[in-house]
Amino acid sequence: MTNNTLHSLNAISKDQLATLSNELTDELKNILNYWLNHTVDEVNGGFWGKIDNGNQVTPDAAKGSVLNARILWSFSAAYNQNPDEAYLHAATRAYDYIKVCFVDDEFGGVYWSVNYKGDKLDTKKQVYANAFTIYALSEYYMASKLETVKEEAIGLYRLLVDKSYDQDKTGYFEAFTCDWQPLGDLRLSAKDANEKKTMNTHLHVLEAYTNLYRIWPDGELKQQIEVLINNFFDHFIDAEAGHLVLFFDEDWNRRSDTVSYGHDIEATWLLLEAAETIGNQEMIAKVKAICIAIAEATIQGLDTDGGLWYEYEPAGNHLIKEKHWWVQAEAIVGFYNAWQVNGNDKYLQLTLDNWAFVKDKILDKQNGEWFWGVRDDGSIMPGEDKAGLWKCPYHNSRACIEIINRIKILK
């Protein structure tokens, strides 16, 4: 979390920030209460794998490691900010379920999914999911103070370096079989390109390692974080366009032109957070300049109502006119971060405008939590999850926690 605000606050800004902090504090409680009240699977253990917008549970839905790791992180982070025992209890429930059902005791790492009873389903080792488990375990250690949890996070980090790190050309390979052998289909989801190295996975490996460094400031881990940041400088960031390149082959040849506005703005603050956490001043300065360039490019994806569009395909000049919940959450933090970096009040206004859009269109005021997203006419995207393999309490709770904490240090 950056502490480098370069300007003094005027009275208007102070009032705006106080209101924003209060509203996000209330919204964080709403999000967490939703997951406490609607998602706990008292029948089979853990948390339900799928819930729709009407809060109807699909009881036999698969349960994903990403969902469970993000639940673990969200409640651990919430407890670390506000020590409510209900949050720690939920985090412990998620941790216990991951340990029993997702951890592979034979080959190491976590499975991609289990069935509704907790039995192995898709046993591939997706580096993305394992990174989120490191991220969550590190946060849970801060909440629980259990040394075994810290050791589990360190062990999983070492496993990823051993099994998935490209010793020759750097970077992390995307996915493996259960026993960490090469895998034909590397994709996180059906929409992704089947390539060896992806921006999305590297961004969240970086996020995971940054959180691990907070509890274990190891020299080799610091070097890994620096290599990852350099991967963004050297490959993922298209400096000319100000956007991120999403897919590469094993030799770092570019395999995508798609612009993902949410990932662009998310990367700005996660990269700065990583550089600041390890205290690399040269990288901090370089990331700050890049933050602003990417934030400026992201503005291209904003609609007049303050919402941020999903993706843009340059080849066909095609804008995907959907506004997904997680993209808005990242916009809130990313533009606030840009404001902290250079003091230009327009970025603070973009945060406030986006939050206003979220309140108007994304919050489900009847059934709780955030809708998956809305279409260009403002209607709710049909058939999407309220909770599921990808719909988790992570992006929105993290946005609330980040902004609350960042405003707090200004007081």
Side-chain angles (χ1 to χ4, degrees), residues 355-394:
W355 172 235
F357 166 76
V358 169
K359 288 188 292 183
D360 184 41
K361 296 295 185 181
I362 302 296
L363 299 189
D364 185 344
K365 300 178 181 66
Q366 179 177 347
N367 292 316
E369 243 284 344
W370 294 21
F371 292 115
W372 183 284
V374 296
R375 296 181 291 196
D376 59 344
D377 62 0
S379 62
I380 303 302
M381 292 172 61
E384 301 289 357
D385 295 335
K386 183 67 68 68
L389 291 173
W390 291 106
K391 186 64 166 60
C392 318
Y394 155 71

Side-chain angles (χ1 to χ4, degrees), residues 50 103 109 114 157 174 185 309 370:
K50 183 179 177 67
V103 171
V114 298
Y157 152 74
E174 186 71 5
D185 188 350
W309 296 115
W370 294 21

Side-chain angles (χ1 to χ4, degrees), residues 191-375:
K191 71 173 288 294
D192 289 323
N194 190 28
E195 296 294 346
K196 294 286 184 67
K197 295 174 182 176
T198 75
M199 184 286 305
N200 197 10
T201 288
H202 281 75
L203 183 63
H204 294 295
V205 171
L206 176 64
E207 180 182 32
Y209 286 7
T210 300
N211 215 28
L212 179 60
Y213 191 82
R214 292 187 176 107
I215 65 171
W216 184 57
D218 176 77
E220 290 185 5
L221 174 59
K222 180 180 181 180
Q223 291 176 1
Q224 280 285 337
I225 292 171
E226 288 172 340
V227 170
L228 281 161
I229 294 173
N230 280 325
N231 287 156
F232 277 83
F233 292 156
D234 297 339
H235 303 296
F236 293 118
I237 296 171
D238 183 336
E240 183 176 345
H243 296 297
L244 300 180
V245 182
L246 302 184
F247 298 101
F248 289 83
D249 67 14
E250 61 267 42
D251 297 318
W252 291 114
N253 294 307
R254 181 172 176 162
R255 296 299 193 199
S256 170
D257 292 318
T258 300
V259 173
S260 175
Y261 295 114
H263 285 120
D264 285 352
I265 198 66
E266 180 183 22
T268 61
W269 71 272
L270 287 181
L271 283 165
L272 184 55
E273 178 183 62
E276 289 184 334
T277 299
I278 61 174
N280 187 315
Q281 297 303 315
E282 182 180 348
M283 283 186 163
I284 290 170
K286 191 171 181 179
V287 171
K288 282 185 175 180
I290 288 173
C291 276
I292 301 306
I294 297 176
E296 281 296 314
T298 304
I299 291 174
Q300 301 165 10
L302 284 170
D303 195 7
T304 55
D305 60 8
L308 185 59
W309 296 115
Y310 178 49
E311 287 183 350
Y312 173 67
E313 298 286 355
N317 191 27
H318 176 57
L319 179 66
I320 299 177
K321 291 191 172 182
E322 299 170 348
K323 297 167 184 170
H324 293 198
W325 94 99
W326 71 268
V327 176
Q328 315 316 314
E330 296 309 325
I332 290 169
V333 182
F335 286 125
Y336 188 96
N337 181 72
W339 174 67
Q340 286 186 289
V341 166
N342 80 347
N344 188 330
D345 284 341
K346 80 173 184 179
Y347 296 121
L348 176 58
Q349 191 60 52
L350 292 176
T351 287
L352 297 172
D353 290 347
N354 187 265
W355 172 235
F357 166 76
V358 169
K359 288 188 292 183
D360 184 41
K361 296 295 185 181
I362 302 296
L363 299 189
D364 185 344
K365 300 178 181 66
Q366 179 177 347
N367 292 316
E369 243 284 344
W370 294 21
F371 292 115
W372 183 284
V374 296
R375 296 181 291 196

Side-chain angles (χ1 to χ4, degrees), residues 105-126:
D105 293 325
E106 182 177 3
F107 297 110
V110 296
Y111 306 122
W112 179 249
S113 65
V114 298
N115 69 14
Y116 72 100
K117 293 181 178 179
D119 301 321
K120 289 185 289 186
L121 187 59
D122 187 341
T123 61
K124 68 180 177 181
K125 301 297 168 55
Q126 204 83 30

Side-chain angles (χ1 to χ4, degrees), residues 74-127:
S74 295
F75 280 102
S76 297
Y79 179 81
N80 289 331
Q81 185 192 62
N82 174 28
D84 185 322
E85 288 301 316
Y87 299 162
L88 184 60
H89 180 76
T92 301
R93 182 184 185 87
Y95 168 74
D96 290 342
Y97 194 78
I98 290 169
K99 281 274 290 180
V100 171
C101 297
F102 284 100
V103 171
D104 183 345
D105 293 325
E106 182 177 3
F107 297 110
V110 296
Y111 306 122
W112 179 249
S113 65
V114 298
N115 69 14
Y116 72 100
K117 293 181 178 179
D119 301 321
K120 289 185 289 186
L121 187 59
D122 187 341
T123 61
K124 68 180 177 181
K125 301 297 168 55
Q126 204 83 30
V127 170

